[in-house]
Amino acid sequence: KLTAWYLTSSVALLSDAAESLVHGVATGLAAFSVWYAERPADAAHPYGHGRIAYFSAGFEGALVFATSIAVVWNGINSFADSAPLQHLGVGLWIAGGLAAFNLVLGLALIRIGRRHNTLILVANGQHVLSDMWTSVAAIAGVGLVMFTGVRWLDPLAAIVIGVLIMVNGLRLVQQSYAGLMDQVTPELTERISGVLQEHVTDGRISGYHQLRCRQVDNVLWIDAHLLVPAETRVDDAHERATALETDLEQRLAGFDVRVTSHVEPADHAAAHPDGHAGVADPLGAGE
């Protein structure tokens, strides 16, 4: 991309190259994060090291956002540049080939990342696709200049590229924030609640409450209080809880499920006059 810019003097192609340079730095951080996240849990990190994925995505988003500001500023300043562009055909071929490569690479990274619930790969794949779209915008701007001879279309394309980069950076930061704040998707909570409700309907448990979950990449922690008849033996209650935990692990394919359950007698509600619903029970109760 730098070669395409050098040959053409196009500020749009320069903007595209700048975004790719930032992506190169972010990819290095992502590679380190993938390695670090796979380290097993230890005494200092009993929940593992997977949360670094959200720092990686946030840092990548911040880099992308900073680059977008520089790209837009450079595009605005280039409106006054009247120097003619050169070798536009060669520049378009280079940019087009790299855009096609990034399309294949970005889709592959996102598909693999989603298959393994790995935020780092998904974020990097989205960044690659953003890189592809910036190349498309650069190709459109340079192509219009080549066919119309209107010089200011080139810096206009650079500004459009900057806006595209900015949107992608903000999206990465939002994903990072959601992960760091333990935000879970409605689809995932419905799947978990559905499995628990099936066990209630089948009579294997009387109900449930205090259901919570948190996800870090492909690891999913689930906590729940399970209600059983008061006369249930301890070993029977343990078998019911174990059966539910096994069912959750099997039904939530693609996740490394870690379930912590607390068994209580079904008639213990009198000990909780204020109930269990509310902010402390975001997924609802199954009593």
Side-chain angles (χ1 to χ4, degrees), residues 22 42 51 53-54 79 85 92-93 112 127 130 143 179 208 225 228 231 244 278 282:
V22 171
D42 52 40
R51 200 172 279 274
Y54 301 116
F79 271 106
L85 303 183
L92 288 175
W93 275 109
I112 295 172
H127 195 166
S130 173
Y208 64 92
H225 291 194
V228 298
E231 65 275 9
L244 173 58

Side-chain angles (χ1 to χ4, degrees), residues 55-273:
F55 286 103
S56 174
F59 183 76
E60 184 171 355
L63 280 177
V64 171
F65 185 80
T67 302
S68 70
I69 295 176
V71 167
V72 171
W73 181 255
N74 189 40
I76 294 174
N77 290 335
S78 298
F79 271 106
D81 191 357
S82 59
L85 303 183
Q86 303 174 351
H87 308 293
L88 296 183
V90 177
L92 288 175
W93 275 109
I94 294 174
L98 294 175
F101 177 83
N102 279 336
L103 174 62
V104 175
L105 177 60
L107 292 175
L109 285 171
I110 291 175
R111 184 177 67 253
I112 295 172
R114 288 177 176 169
R115 182 189 307 161
H116 297 283
N117 293 301
T118 304
L119 173 64
I120 300 174
L121 292 181
V122 173
N124 201 248
Q126 290 174 340
H127 195 166
V128 172
L129 289 184
S130 173
D131 198 2
M132 183 271 297
W133 284 114
T134 59
S135 295
V136 170
I139 292 170
V142 173
L144 287 173
V145 172
M146 184 171 66
F147 287 108
T148 66
V150 180
R151 177 68 173 77
W152 58 264
L153 290 174
D154 181 54
L156 178 62
I159 294 174
V160 172
I161 290 172
V163 173
L164 290 174
I165 297 173
M166 185 177 297
V167 170
N168 185 61
L170 290 174
R171 183 169 60 247
L172 289 174
V173 171
Q174 189 275 330
Q175 290 177 346
S176 174
Y177 174 81
L180 290 173
M181 297 302 292
D182 285 330
Q183 179 179 329
V184 293
T185 64
E187 178 186 2
L188 181 57
T189 59
E190 289 176 5
R191 290 174 63 187
I192 297 172
S193 297
V195 175
L196 287 165
Q197 194 58 49
E198 286 182 14
H199 281 248
V200 174
T201 302
D202 294 343
R204 287 173 281 182
I205 60 174
S206 301
Y208 64 92
H209 55 241
Q210 295 295 325
L211 174 60
R212 298 181 179 87
C213 70
R214 63 192 293 257
Q215 176 188 353
V216 178
D217 273 352
N218 69 319
V219 181
L220 180 62
W221 284 274
I222 302 174
D223 301 324
H225 291 194
L226 308 180
L227 305 178
V228 298
E231 65 275 9
T232 305
R233 290 170 52 90
V234 173
D235 56 351
D236 186 15
H238 178 263
E239 290 180 2
R240 298 185 188 202
T242 301
L244 173 58
E245 294 169 3
T246 302
D247 198 9
L248 284 168
E249 293 171 359
Q250 294 175 346
R251 299 278 291 278
L252 296 169
F255 289 101
D256 180 6
V257 181
R258 317 281 179 87
V259 184
T260 302
S261 59
H262 173 67
V263 177
E264 298 178 342
D267 58 358
H268 85 309
H272 300 275

Side-chain angles (χ1 to χ4, degrees), residues 7-55:
L7 291 174
T8 62
S9 299
S10 166
V11 67
L13 292 178
L14 174 60
S15 300
D16 190 20
E19 201 275 341
S20 293
L21 288 174
V22 171
H23 186 199
V25 175
T27 299
L29 175 63
F32 169 80
S33 299
V34 169
W35 167 79
Y36 189 81
E38 290 298 317
R39 298 179 63 185
D42 52 40
H45 306 88
Y47 287 96
H49 302 79
R51 200 172 279 274
I52 193 175
Y54 301 116
F55 286 103

